Amino acid sequence: MNKEEKNSENVSVTEPVAEEKTRAKLFTSRNIAWFAVLLALTVVLQIWGSAIRIGANTVNFSLIPVVLAAILLGPVAGAVMGFASAVVILIYVVLGTEPLSFMMFQDHPFITVALILIKTTAAGLVAGVLYKVLERKNPYLATFVAAGAAPVVNTGLYILGALLMSDTIAASGFADGMSVIYFLVVVAAGVNFLIEFAVNMVASPAIYSVIRVVRKRSY
């Protein structure tokens, strides 16, 4: 084996080891820098997504940085970024930019706050866990699974939590005579989920591929 081959082998071994160490220590200067960048991206995507309204809700693009944090820094980081993203979303809800969620917040403030914080935090955690489990078998498959799992968990928990406030939804003009479960699954979350799922599946792996190239050059 020549010197060039040895160097190539060392890089391929060092990279996953370095990534594991990065994930193990959450609050390193490097990770904090990543958090700052991803949090800024969360705010930008939330502002952008809030301008796209479908029915009673706006589209949530802020799951992209949540997935990236989960992939790059691990499940705990994904959960922390999910919580941070939820805080940004909650601010928008309290300001009244999310009509349906604002209505639920007015009638059930504690349940609504808990729902928003839990669903996005869980989405980041689950995405990180799934990526970690599948990464050694196939990192590309792991990336797609993590990217797809986040909107599934986020939307699923949203529907379950909203059912606890079915009295408010049924009495509102949003349901317009429909059953609460049909309204939530098809009208409130259906189209939004499909858009968020498609965007997440395309954007998260693409952005992660770029980040991996940049990180390889830094080793």
Short mmCIF file of all heavy atoms in Angstrom, two decimals, residues 46 49-60 89 92-105 112 116 158 162 168-170 172-176 178 180 182-193 195-196:
data_model
loop_
_atom_site.label_atom_id
_atom_site.label_comp_id
_atom_site.label_asym_id
_atom_site.label_seq_id
_atom_site.Cartn_x
_atom_site.Cartn_y
_atom_site.Cartn_z
N GLN A 46 -39.29 29.87 8.55
CA GLN A 46 -40.58 30.10 9.19
C GLN A 46 -41.23 31.37 8.63
O GLN A 46 -42.44 31.40 8.37
CB GLN A 46 -40.40 30.24 10.71
CG GLN A 46 -41.71 30.46 11.48
CD GLN A 46 -42.70 29.32 11.30
OE1 GLN A 46 -42.31 28.16 11.17
NE2 GLN A 46 -43.97 29.64 11.30
N GLY A 49 -42.30 30.38 5.09
CA GLY A 49 -43.43 29.46 5.09
C GLY A 49 -44.72 30.09 5.57
O GLY A 49 -45.81 29.73 5.12
N SER A 50 -44.62 31.06 6.50
CA SER A 50 -45.82 31.71 7.04
C SER A 50 -46.54 32.54 5.98
O SER A 50 -47.71 32.89 6.16
CB SER A 50 -45.45 32.61 8.22
OG SER A 50 -44.61 33.68 7.81
N ALA A 51 -45.86 32.83 4.89
CA ALA A 51 -46.48 33.59 3.81
C ALA A 51 -47.28 32.69 2.86
O ALA A 51 -48.02 33.18 2.01
CB ALA A 51 -45.42 34.36 3.02
N ILE A 52 -47.10 31.37 3.02
CA ILE A 52 -47.81 30.41 2.17
C ILE A 52 -48.90 29.75 3.00
O ILE A 52 -48.63 28.85 3.80
CB ILE A 52 -46.84 29.34 1.61
CG1 ILE A 52 -45.67 30.01 0.89
CG2 ILE A 52 -47.57 28.40 0.66
CD1 ILE A 52 -44.59 29.05 0.46
N ARG A 53 -50.12 30.19 2.83
CA ARG A 53 -51.23 29.67 3.63
C ARG A 53 -52.08 28.72 2.80
O ARG A 53 -52.50 29.03 1.69
CB ARG A 53 -52.09 30.81 4.16
CG ARG A 53 -53.24 30.36 5.06
CD ARG A 53 -53.87 31.54 5.76
NE ARG A 53 -52.90 32.17 6.66
CZ ARG A 53 -53.14 33.30 7.30
NH1 ARG A 53 -54.28 33.93 7.13
NH2 ARG A 53 -52.22 33.80 8.10
N ILE A 54 -52.33 27.54 3.38
CA ILE A 54 -53.21 26.55 2.76
C ILE A 54 -54.30 26.23 3.77
O ILE A 54 -54.06 25.61 4.79
CB ILE A 54 -52.45 25.27 2.38
CG1 ILE A 54 -51.34 25.60 1.37
CG2 ILE A 54 -53.40 24.24 1.79
CD1 ILE A 54 -50.48 24.42 1.02
N GLY A 55 -55.53 26.67 3.47
CA GLY A 55 -56.61 26.48 4.42
C GLY A 55 -56.39 27.30 5.68
O GLY A 55 -56.13 28.50 5.63
N ALA A 56 -56.47 26.62 6.84
CA ALA A 56 -56.35 27.32 8.12
C ALA A 56 -54.92 27.38 8.64
O ALA A 56 -54.67 28.00 9.67
CB ALA A 56 -57.25 26.62 9.16
N ASN A 57 -54.00 26.74 7.96
CA ASN A 57 -52.61 26.69 8.44
C ASN A 57 -51.64 27.18 7.37
O ASN A 57 -51.98 27.26 6.18
CB ASN A 57 -52.23 25.27 8.85
CG ASN A 57 -52.89 24.86 10.16
OD1 ASN A 57 -53.02 25.67 11.07
ND2 ASN A 57 -53.31 23.62 10.25
N THR A 58 -50.43 27.48 7.80
CA THR A 58 -49.36 27.82 6.87
C THR A 58 -48.43 26.62 6.72
O THR A 58 -48.47 25.70 7.53
CB THR A 58 -48.56 29.05 7.36
OG1 THR A 58 -48.02 28.76 8.65
CG2 THR A 58 -49.45 30.28 7.45
N VAL A 59 -47.60 26.65 5.69
CA VAL A 59 -46.68 25.54 5.44
C VAL A 59 -45.47 25.68 6.35
O VAL A 59 -44.94 26.77 6.54
CB VAL A 59 -46.24 25.52 3.97
CG1 VAL A 59 -45.26 24.39 3.70
CG2 VAL A 59 -47.45 25.39 3.06
N ASN A 60 -45.04 24.55 6.92
CA ASN A 60 -43.90 24.55 7.84
C ASN A 60 -42.66 24.01 7.14
O ASN A 60 -42.52 22.81 6.93
CB ASN A 60 -44.23 23.70 9.07
CG ASN A 60 -43.08 23.65 10.06
OD1 ASN A 60 -42.15 24.44 9.99
ND2 ASN A 60 -43.15 22.73 10.99
N ILE A 89 -42.12 28.90 16.11
CA ILE A 89 -43.49 28.66 15.64
C ILE A 89 -44.51 29.19 16.64
O ILE A 89 -45.51 29.81 16.27
CB ILE A 89 -43.72 27.16 15.39
CG1 ILE A 89 -42.85 26.67 14.23
CG2 ILE A 89 -45.19 26.86 15.10
CD1 ILE A 89 -42.83 25.16 14.05
N TYR A 92 -45.12 32.83 16.40
CA TYR A 92 -46.00 33.15 15.28
C TYR A 92 -47.46 32.82 15.61
O TYR A 92 -48.38 33.54 15.20
CB TYR A 92 -45.57 32.38 14.03
CG TYR A 92 -44.54 33.13 13.22
CD1 TYR A 92 -43.21 33.16 13.61
CD2 TYR A 92 -44.90 33.82 12.06
CE1 TYR A 92 -42.26 33.86 12.88
CE2 TYR A 92 -43.96 34.52 11.32
CZ TYR A 92 -42.64 34.54 11.74
OH TYR A 92 -41.70 35.24 11.03
N VAL A 93 -47.68 31.75 16.34
CA VAL A 93 -49.05 31.39 16.74
C VAL A 93 -49.64 32.45 17.66
O VAL A 93 -50.78 32.91 17.47
CB VAL A 93 -49.06 30.01 17.43
CG1 VAL A 93 -50.43 29.74 18.07
CG2 VAL A 93 -48.73 28.91 16.44
N VAL A 94 -48.87 32.87 18.66
CA VAL A 94 -49.34 33.88 19.62
C VAL A 94 -49.62 35.21 18.92
O VAL A 94 -50.54 35.94 19.29
CB VAL A 94 -48.30 34.07 20.75
CG1 VAL A 94 -48.70 35.23 21.66
CG2 VAL A 94 -48.17 32.79 21.56
N LEU A 95 -48.85 35.50 17.88
CA LEU A 95 -49.06 36.74 17.12
C LEU A 95 -50.28 36.67 16.19
O LEU A 95 -50.67 37.67 15.59
CB LEU A 95 -47.81 37.07 16.30
CG LEU A 95 -46.57 37.48 17.10
CD1 LEU A 95 -45.37 37.67 16.17
CD2 LEU A 95 -46.83 38.76 17.89
N GLY A 96 -50.85 35.47 16.08
CA GLY A 96 -52.07 35.32 15.29
C GLY A 96 -51.87 35.03 13.82
O GLY A 96 -52.83 35.10 13.03
N THR A 97 -50.65 34.69 13.41
CA THR A 97 -50.40 34.41 12.00
C THR A 97 -50.83 33.00 11.58
O THR A 97 -50.88 32.70 10.39
CB THR A 97 -48.90 34.59 11.66
OG1 THR A 97 -48.13 33.70 12.46
CG2 THR A 97 -48.46 36.02 11.92
N GLU A 98 -51.11 32.15 12.57
CA GLU A 98 -51.60 30.79 12.30
C GLU A 98 -53.05 30.73 12.81
O GLU A 98 -53.30 30.46 13.99
CB GLU A 98 -50.76 29.75 13.03
CG GLU A 98 -49.29 29.75 12.65
CD GLU A 98 -49.03 28.88 11.44
OE1 GLU A 98 -49.96 28.18 11.01
OE2 GLU A 98 -47.90 28.91 10.94
N PRO A 99 -54.04 31.00 11.95
CA PRO A 99 -55.44 31.17 12.41
C PRO A 99 -55.99 30.02 13.25
O PRO A 99 -56.54 30.24 14.33
CB PRO A 99 -56.22 31.30 11.09
CG PRO A 99 -55.22 31.81 10.11
CD PRO A 99 -53.91 31.19 10.51
N LEU A 100 -55.84 28.79 12.77
CA LEU A 100 -56.39 27.65 13.50
C LEU A 100 -55.67 27.44 14.83
O LEU A 100 -56.31 27.27 15.88
CB LEU A 100 -56.30 26.38 12.65
CG LEU A 100 -56.81 25.08 13.30
CD1 LEU A 100 -58.28 25.22 13.70
CD2 LEU A 100 -56.61 23.90 12.37
N SER A 101 -54.35 27.47 14.81
CA SER A 101 -53.58 27.28 16.04
C SER A 101 -53.82 28.43 17.02
O SER A 101 -53.86 28.22 18.23
CB SER A 101 -52.08 27.19 15.72
OG SER A 101 -51.81 26.06 14.92
N PHE A 102 -54.00 29.64 16.50
CA PHE A 102 -54.29 30.79 17.37
C PHE A 102 -55.63 30.62 18.06
O PHE A 102 -55.78 30.94 19.24
CB PHE A 102 -54.28 32.08 16.53
CG PHE A 102 -54.54 33.32 17.35
CD1 PHE A 102 -53.65 33.73 18.32
CD2 PHE A 102 -55.70 34.05 17.15
CE1 PHE A 102 -53.90 34.88 19.08
CE2 PHE A 102 -55.96 35.19 17.90
CZ PHE A 102 -55.05 35.61 18.88
N MET A 103 -56.61 30.11 17.32
CA MET A 103 -57.92 29.86 17.91
C MET A 103 -57.83 28.80 19.01
O MET A 103 -58.41 28.96 20.09
CB MET A 103 -58.90 29.39 16.83
CG MET A 103 -60.32 29.10 17.34
SD MET A 103 -61.29 28.23 16.10
CE MET A 103 -60.43 26.65 16.04
N MET A 104 -57.06 27.75 18.77
CA MET A 104 -56.88 26.71 19.79
C MET A 104 -56.12 27.28 20.99
O MET A 104 -56.40 26.93 22.13
CB MET A 104 -56.14 25.51 19.19
CG MET A 104 -56.93 24.76 18.14
SD MET A 104 -56.21 23.17 17.63
CE MET A 104 -54.69 23.71 16.84
N PHE A 105 -55.16 28.14 20.72
CA PHE A 105 -54.39 28.77 21.80
C PHE A 105 -55.28 29.63 22.68
O PHE A 105 -55.12 29.65 23.91
CB PHE A 105 -53.26 29.62 21.20
CG PHE A 105 -52.49 30.41 22.22
CD1 PHE A 105 -51.58 29.79 23.06
CD2 PHE A 105 -52.69 31.78 22.33
CE1 PHE A 105 -50.87 30.52 24.02
CE2 PHE A 105 -51.99 32.53 23.27
CZ PHE A 105 -51.08 31.89 24.12
N THR A 112 -52.18 23.81 23.77
CA THR A 112 -51.62 24.26 22.51
C THR A 112 -50.11 24.47 22.61
O THR A 112 -49.35 24.04 21.73
CB THR A 112 -52.28 25.58 22.05
OG1 THR A 112 -53.70 25.39 21.97
CG2 THR A 112 -51.75 26.02 20.68
N ILE A 116 -47.32 22.22 20.53
CA ILE A 116 -46.34 22.81 19.60
C ILE A 116 -44.92 22.44 20.01
O ILE A 116 -44.09 22.08 19.17
CB ILE A 116 -46.51 24.33 19.54
CG1 ILE A 116 -47.85 24.67 18.87
CG2 ILE A 116 -45.36 24.98 18.77
CD1 ILE A 116 -48.22 26.14 18.93
N TYR A 158 -49.48 16.45 15.84
CA TYR A 158 -50.36 17.62 15.72
C TYR A 158 -51.83 17.19 15.67
O TYR A 158 -52.68 17.75 16.36
CB TYR A 158 -50.01 18.42 14.46
CG TYR A 158 -51.00 19.52 14.16
CD1 TYR A 158 -50.95 20.73 14.84
CD2 TYR A 158 -52.00 19.34 13.20
CE1 TYR A 158 -51.87 21.74 14.57
CE2 TYR A 158 -52.91 20.34 12.92
CZ TYR A 158 -52.84 21.54 13.60
OH TYR A 158 -53.76 22.53 13.34
N ALA A 162 -54.50 17.97 18.51
CA ALA A 162 -55.64 18.81 18.14
C ALA A 162 -56.96 18.13 18.49
O ALA A 162 -57.96 18.80 18.78
CB ALA A 162 -55.59 19.14 16.66
N THR A 168 -63.36 22.96 20.44
CA THR A 168 -63.07 24.27 19.85
C THR A 168 -63.13 24.21 18.33
O THR A 168 -63.69 25.10 17.68
CB THR A 168 -61.68 24.77 20.29
OG1 THR A 168 -61.68 24.96 21.71
CG2 THR A 168 -61.31 26.07 19.61
N ILE A 169 -62.56 23.16 17.76
CA ILE A 169 -62.54 23.02 16.30
C ILE A 169 -63.94 22.82 15.76
O ILE A 169 -64.32 23.41 14.73
CB ILE A 169 -61.63 21.85 15.89
CG1 ILE A 169 -60.18 22.14 16.31
CG2 ILE A 169 -61.69 21.61 14.39
CD1 ILE A 169 -59.24 20.97 16.16
N ALA A 170 -64.74 22.00 16.44
CA ALA A 170 -66.11 21.73 15.98
C ALA A 170 -66.97 22.98 16.03
O ALA A 170 -67.85 23.19 15.18
CB ALA A 170 -66.73 20.63 16.84
N SER A 172 -65.93 26.02 15.66
CA SER A 172 -65.38 27.08 14.81
C SER A 172 -65.96 27.02 13.41
O SER A 172 -66.61 26.06 13.02
CB SER A 172 -63.86 26.96 14.72
OG SER A 172 -63.50 25.85 13.92
N GLY A 173 -65.68 28.05 12.64
CA GLY A 173 -66.13 28.05 11.25
C GLY A 173 -65.19 27.30 10.33
O GLY A 173 -65.50 27.09 9.16
N PHE A 174 -64.04 26.88 10.86
CA PHE A 174 -63.06 26.18 10.03
C PHE A 174 -63.58 24.83 9.56
O PHE A 174 -63.40 24.45 8.40
CB PHE A 174 -61.75 25.99 10.80
CG PHE A 174 -61.00 27.27 11.04
CD1 PHE A 174 -60.90 27.80 12.31
CD2 PHE A 174 -60.39 27.94 9.99
CE1 PHE A 174 -60.21 28.97 12.54
CE2 PHE A 174 -59.69 29.11 10.20
CZ PHE A 174 -59.60 29.64 11.48
N ALA A 175 -64.21 24.08 10.48
CA ALA A 175 -64.68 22.73 10.14
C ALA A 175 -65.84 22.77 9.16
O ALA A 175 -65.99 21.85 8.34
CB ALA A 175 -65.07 21.98 11.40
N ASP A 176 -66.69 23.78 9.26
CA ASP A 176 -67.79 23.99 8.31
C ASP A 176 -68.64 22.74 8.12
O ASP A 176 -68.90 22.30 6.99
CB ASP A 176 -67.21 24.47 6.97
CG ASP A 176 -68.29 25.02 6.05
OD1 ASP A 176 -69.33 25.47 6.57
OD2 ASP A 176 -68.10 24.98 4.82
N MET A 178 -67.96 19.64 8.78
CA MET A 178 -67.22 18.38 8.65
C MET A 178 -66.95 17.79 10.02
O MET A 178 -66.94 18.51 11.02
CB MET A 178 -65.89 18.61 7.93
CG MET A 178 -66.01 19.04 6.49
SD MET A 178 -64.38 19.39 5.75
CE MET A 178 -64.10 21.05 6.37
N VAL A 180 -64.58 16.44 12.94
CA VAL A 180 -63.29 16.99 13.38
C VAL A 180 -62.13 16.19 12.82
O VAL A 180 -61.14 16.75 12.34
CB VAL A 180 -63.22 17.05 14.92
CG1 VAL A 180 -61.82 17.45 15.39
CG2 VAL A 180 -64.25 18.02 15.47
N TYR A 182 -61.99 14.29 10.14
CA TYR A 182 -61.86 14.50 8.69
C TYR A 182 -61.22 15.86 8.42
O TYR A 182 -60.33 15.98 7.57
CB TYR A 182 -63.22 14.42 8.02
CG TYR A 182 -63.17 14.67 6.52
CD1 TYR A 182 -62.90 13.63 5.64
CD2 TYR A 182 -63.39 15.95 6.00
CE1 TYR A 182 -62.84 13.85 4.26
CE2 TYR A 182 -63.33 16.19 4.63
CZ TYR A 182 -63.06 15.13 3.77
OH TYR A 182 -62.99 15.36 2.42
N PHE A 183 -61.68 16.87 9.13
CA PHE A 183 -61.14 18.21 8.95
C PHE A 183 -59.64 18.25 9.24
O PHE A 183 -58.85 18.81 8.48
CB PHE A 183 -61.87 19.20 9.86
CG PHE A 183 -61.19 20.54 9.94
CD1 PHE A 183 -61.27 21.43 8.87
CD2 PHE A 183 -60.48 20.91 11.07
CE1 PHE A 183 -60.62 22.67 8.93
CE2 PHE A 183 -59.84 22.14 11.14
CZ PHE A 183 -59.91 23.02 10.06
N LEU A 184 -59.23 17.62 10.35
CA LEU A 184 -57.83 17.65 10.74
C LEU A 184 -56.95 16.88 9.77
O LEU A 184 -55.89 17.36 9.34
CB LEU A 184 -57.66 17.09 12.15
CG LEU A 184 -58.17 17.97 13.30
CD1 LEU A 184 -58.10 17.22 14.61
CD2 LEU A 184 -57.36 19.26 13.39
N VAL A 185 -57.37 15.67 9.42
CA VAL A 185 -56.54 14.80 8.58
C VAL A 185 -56.49 15.27 7.13
O VAL A 185 -55.41 15.31 6.51
CB VAL A 185 -57.04 13.34 8.64
CG1 VAL A 185 -56.28 12.46 7.66
CG2 VAL A 185 -56.90 12.80 10.05
N VAL A 186 -57.64 15.65 6.58
CA VAL A 186 -57.71 15.98 5.16
C VAL A 186 -57.51 17.47 4.89
O VAL A 186 -56.71 17.85 4.03
CB VAL A 186 -59.06 15.52 4.56
CG1 VAL A 186 -59.17 15.91 3.09
CG2 VAL A 186 -59.22 14.01 4.74
N VAL A 187 -58.22 18.32 5.63
CA VAL A 187 -58.22 19.75 5.33
C VAL A 187 -57.07 20.48 6.02
O VAL A 187 -56.27 21.15 5.37
CB VAL A 187 -59.57 20.40 5.73
CG1 VAL A 187 -59.55 21.89 5.43
CG2 VAL A 187 -60.72 19.71 5.01
N ALA A 188 -56.99 20.35 7.34
CA ALA A 188 -56.00 21.13 8.10
C ALA A 188 -54.58 20.64 7.90
O ALA A 188 -53.65 21.44 7.82
CB ALA A 188 -56.36 21.10 9.59
N ALA A 189 -54.39 19.33 7.84
CA ALA A 189 -53.03 18.79 7.80
C ALA A 189 -52.68 18.07 6.50
O ALA A 189 -51.50 17.92 6.18
CB ALA A 189 -52.81 17.84 8.97
N GLY A 190 -53.68 17.63 5.76
CA GLY A 190 -53.44 16.77 4.60
C GLY A 190 -52.52 17.36 3.54
O GLY A 190 -51.42 16.84 3.28
N VAL A 191 -52.95 18.46 2.91
CA VAL A 191 -52.16 19.07 1.84
C VAL A 191 -50.84 19.62 2.40
O VAL A 191 -49.78 19.48 1.79
CB VAL A 191 -52.96 20.19 1.15
CG1 VAL A 191 -52.11 20.88 0.08
CG2 VAL A 191 -54.24 19.63 0.53
N ASN A 192 -50.93 20.25 3.58
CA ASN A 192 -49.72 20.78 4.21
C ASN A 192 -48.68 19.70 4.43
O ASN A 192 -47.48 19.89 4.18
CB ASN A 192 -50.06 21.44 5.55
CG ASN A 192 -50.97 22.63 5.40
OD1 ASN A 192 -52.09 22.50 4.89
ND2 ASN A 192 -50.53 23.79 5.82
N PHE A 193 -49.16 18.55 4.93
CA PHE A 193 -48.24 17.43 5.19
C PHE A 193 -47.57 16.97 3.91
O PHE A 193 -46.35 16.73 3.89
CB PHE A 193 -48.98 16.27 5.84
CG PHE A 193 -48.20 14.99 5.82
CD1 PHE A 193 -47.10 14.82 6.66
CD2 PHE A 193 -48.52 13.97 4.94
CE1 PHE A 193 -46.35 13.65 6.63
CE2 PHE A 193 -47.78 12.79 4.91
CZ PHE A 193 -46.69 12.65 5.76
N ILE A 195 -46.95 18.61 1.19
CA ILE A 195 -45.97 19.60 0.75
C ILE A 195 -44.72 19.55 1.63
O ILE A 195 -43.59 19.53 1.14
CB ILE A 195 -46.58 21.02 0.77
CG1 ILE A 195 -47.68 21.13 -0.27
CG2 ILE A 195 -45.50 22.08 0.53
CD1 ILE A 195 -48.44 22.43 -0.23
N GLU A 196 -44.93 19.52 2.96
CA GLU A 196 -43.80 19.49 3.89
C GLU A 196 -42.98 18.22 3.71
O GLU A 196 -41.74 18.25 3.76
CB GLU A 196 -44.32 19.59 5.33
CG GLU A 196 -44.91 20.94 5.67
CD GLU A 196 -45.71 20.94 6.95
OE1 GLU A 196 -45.63 19.92 7.69
OE2 GLU A 196 -46.41 21.92 7.23
#
